[in-house]
Amino acid sequence: MSIQLNHTIVRARDKYASARFLATILDLPVGEEFGPFVPLHLANGVTLDYMTVDPPQPQHYAFLVDDDEFDAAFARIRDQGLTYYAEPGGGRPGHINHRWGGRGIYFDDPDHHAMELLTRAP
């Protein structure tokens, strides 16, 4: 068997609110709670398991999406009035990047996790 990432824990002040936030941006259903976790299942078989902790330590999560998914998610980000950036750490607010011939943005979730959407990866 090849080695694959199966799941990771996303620490949040409110696991329900944070899972719903990302699910709304990515147009994904929120899974049913199990134990201390609220899951989001991604297309490649990876699950983000949201867990309530206080305070959460901000992390970085990057999502490779196709052009149509990027357009839809980017529209939802703008519709919600979220600040987005072209560079990690908040560089070039209000812009997108064009790395590797694609498009990408960064935005913060409610717990200040740096979320990234990109259409091409190296």
Side-chain angles (χ1 to χ4, degrees):
M1 178 204 274
S2 62
I3 299 170
Q4 299 178 20
L5 179 64
N6 177 266
H7 68 276
T8 191
I9 295 172
V10 180
R11 291 164 172 81
R13 281 192 280 296
D14 180 334
K15 64 186 176 184
Y16 305 104
S18 291
R20 280 192 305 268
F21 170 83
L22 188 59
T24 298
I25 297 296
L26 298 178
D27 194 28
L28 294 172
V30 175
E32 292 194 28
E33 181 177 18
F34 67 96
F37 305 112
V38 173
L40 285 184
H41 299 279
L42 305 180
N44 62 341
V46 174
T47 303
L48 301 179
D49 291 329
Y50 279 83
M51 182 175 80
T52 298
V53 299
D54 194 28
Q57 181 178 352
Q59 300 291 319
H60 172 67
Y61 299 91
F63 303 93
L64 183 61
V65 297
D66 68 26
D67 288 309
D68 291 338
E69 291 165 331
F70 182 91
D71 290 339
F74 189 42
R76 288 187 285 273
I77 288 167
R78 289 189 316 255
D79 289 347
Q80 289 186 32
L82 299 175
T83 301
Y84 59 90
Y85 310 90
E87 303 298 331
R92 297 182 47 221
H95 292 86
I96 65 173
N97 67 57
H98 296 281
R99 288 190 195 102
W100 309 291
R103 296 177 292 161
I105 59 167
Y106 298 83
F107 61 98
D108 291 335
D109 85 343
D111 297 297
H112 305 290
H113 294 301
M115 301 295 183
E116 179 182 4
L117 299 178
L118 65 156
T119 61
R120 306 288 182 277

